[in-house]
Amino acid sequence: MRLRARARYRGGRRVTDTDYEKLATDAGLERVGARAPLGAYLKELWERRHFAYTLARFRIQATMSENRLGLGWIVIRPIFTAIIFGTIFGVIMSSESRPDNFVPFLVVGVFIFEFFSKSFSAGAKSITSNASLVRSLNFPRMLLPIAAVIQQVFELVPIIAVMTLIIVGFGEPITWAWLLVPVILALMTMFNLGIALISARLTVHLRDVTQIIPLLTRILFYSSGIFYSLEQVLKDKPPWLLKLVELNPIHDFITLVRAQMVTGNEASPLMWWVVIGSSLSMLIIGVIFFWRAEERYGRD
Amino acid sequence: MTEAPTAPPKLGAPIVVANDVHVEYRTHASGKALANGGSLFKRQKGIRVVHALKGVSFEVREGESIGVIGHNGSGKSTLMRTIAGLTTATQGAVYASSRPALLGVNAALIPDLSGEKNVLLGALAMGHSKAAAEEQYEDIVEFSGLSEFIDLPMKTYSSGMQARLRFSIAVSRDHQILLVDEALAVGDKAFRDKSEQRIRDLREQAGTVFLVSHSMRSILDTCTRVLWIDHGNLKMDGDPKKVVKAYQASAKK
């Protein structure tokens, strides 16, 4: 075959009469960079899971070595947030809505919310901040937001340990119900991963998303009942308002953990349904939404 | 405008086929364009579309090694990234028998991490299993010749050292199609010789190599065919000596 002999040049541009499409199909070649079908994609993800796991581990080690306090910051940050809100709303502006066992109540709220907000912001940046990695190596891009969430899960371990110490220190009894906490956190991890995947793709399309995330996080912080009890605040309001609050998964994750660990807190069965439903649906929506744009991540 | 030379004899099956590949980047125009438009909508209009590739077609057969030349900004690196599947063509497509691997000169993989960690991550990302990545580690570091500095963060490396490490990671796996984008230019003489030898070895294992370079010497030394990319078009495709000569003649003008 003397294909190239047929090439001609016209106006500084090479034109040929070769049917390249046919040539490629005849030779059994596959289109490069084509998005794999979902099943194959998930299989490839699983095969390269060590990459996500190792990346998360190395990232933590890197932040640890950069700061003097290293790992300490993971715990110190939420403790400071809790102290600030505890001082303002527990001491200075103390009101009726202040729930019993305020310190354990507040600590659970702040610490669990931190898990969500950090996954959200780290997930959003996971593709754009790893541009050179994305541009130089081929791997399923979903590994990057997954690595970001895995990192948050690793960091959750010391956070939960400190949270438990504080709670026990303030006299909460250790009960069998505590065994449900890992289940709630596992569901929350699925939920966070879904959110991270969605925000990772949106950030690629529109960088402005990173500016909105702190605002959304703040709105969620105030509407999820971190330092006050929504149940007490809405006690005298129409009951549908409380139902509406209970449809906020983040509020439900926090309330469910409180219900297991802090006496005087109760969770309604509806919350379990909301938590299970939103975790599954967020994860599925997130995976599909992210996967559909797989071919785009290297271009922008 | 010269006639393309006839194909050299004994060529295998097609390995890479590019069919009318167009790539457009949307970039945010800065400076004047931004200063003029104050409003949000005007700014949206400030998006400029850069047509990096304007319909490139060619086919590459087994055993060929392709040199890619052209001035800066002509679209060579975009072409390489498109062949590697890292950038998707806006129109047209690239077909290949297996996923090509690209060796570029872009920044360090993860600058904050040490060379050691980048090697492991790179190997894992390329699809090595955990055991294989650990097994390959010694070979990669030895090939790079950077064992002294392997504990240091990659951001402290010189660009030559970064390129050496990336090259060593990429060639740790046998690739049927290897794209080398000026990755050799930054290395020193000894490393360049070693890498060129490695490229020749890869080619002997029925592999196909694309080499982007501004060094006509290394193009003439390693390639059996040359593509000249000019302003996003494939200007010439054929025998290395002829194409390089035409390119050099145009550069002098």
Side-chain angles (χ1 to χ4, degrees), chain B residues 1 6 9 12-13 23 30 50 61 98-99 101 132 145 189 207 216 238 241:
Chain B
M1 307 303 132
T6 52
V23 173
S30 56
V50 178
R61 286 163 181 273
S98 66
R99 189 134 198 199
K189 176 85 173 69
M216 294 305 138
K241 278 190 195 122

Side-chain angles (χ1 to χ4, degrees), chain B residues 133-150:
Chain B
E134 278 159 8
E135 206 183 291
Q136 292 278 333
Y137 174 76
E138 291 296 324
D139 290 344
I140 294 173
V141 175
E142 203 202 307
F143 189 89
S144 73
L146 293 170
S147 45
E148 253 180 276
F149 311 104
I150 209 70

Side-chain angles (χ1 to χ4, degrees), chain A residues 1-4 9 14 21 23 30-32 48 50 54-55 58 61 132 135 138 141 295 298-299, chain B residues 2 6 19 57 61 64 83-84 86 88 94-96 99 108-110 117 125 225 234-235 237:
Chain A
M1 279 225 274
R2 291 170 52 160
L3 282 163
R4 263 178 294 142
Y9 297 90
R14 182 172 168 273
E21 188 86 53
L23 195 70
E30 278 174 37
R31 188 164 74 80
V32 176
R48 303 201 186 186
H50 287 295
T54 312
L55 179 61
F58 286 172
Q61 287 172 1
S132 70
R135 284 200 204 109
N138 284 320
R141 304 311 185 202
E295 294 185 20
R299 197 162 62 217
Chain B
T2 43
T6 52
N19 178 27
S57 304
R61 286 163 181 273
E64 278 189 300
I83 297 174
L86 299 167
T88 326
V94 177
Y95 302 86
R99 189 134 198 199
L109 300 174
I110 301 173
K117 288 173 179 169
R225 181 178 155 196
L234 180 57
K235 192 159 182 182
D237 169 4

Side-chain angles (χ1 to χ4, degrees), chain B residues 160-213:
Chain B
M161 287 158 76
Q162 293 188 5
R164 281 165 71 151
L165 195 64
R166 263 198 313 275
F167 184 85
S168 313
I169 296 170
V171 294
S172 70
R173 222 183 163 190
D174 286 333
H175 300 287
Q176 209 193 352
I177 306 160
L178 185 64
L179 314 167
V180 184
D181 187 354
E182 301 192 71
L184 305 183
V186 267
D188 54 29
K189 176 85 173 69
F191 187 73
R192 207 154 60 218
D193 290 346
K194 199 157 73 170
S195 331
E196 281 176 6
Q197 186 53 48
R198 181 80 178 115
I199 289 175
R200 277 192 285 270
D201 291 349
L202 280 169
R203 217 175 72 212
E204 269 158 35
Q205 299 158 20
T208 299
V209 178
F210 285 77
L211 177 67
V212 174
S213 180

Side-chain angles (χ1 to χ4, degrees), chain B residues 207-236:
Chain B
T208 299
V209 178
F210 285 77
L211 177 67
V212 174
S213 180
H214 287 287
S215 152
M216 294 305 138
R217 191 194 57 79
S218 61
I219 293 272
L220 290 172
D221 279 0
T222 35
C223 303
T224 61
R225 181 178 155 196
V226 172
L227 307 178
W228 173 10
I229 309 288
D230 185 58
H231 292 100
N233 292 311
L234 180 57
K235 192 159 182 182
M236 216 174 156

Side-chain angles (χ1 to χ4, degrees), chain A residues 17 35 68 79 131 143-144 149 208 258 272 275 280 288:
Chain A
D17 45 12
R35 185 186 68 194
R68 282 277 179 90
I79 288 180
L143 287 169
L144 292 173
V149 175
D208 310 39
R258 278 179 188 147
W272 278 106
V275 155
L280 287 174
I288 292 172

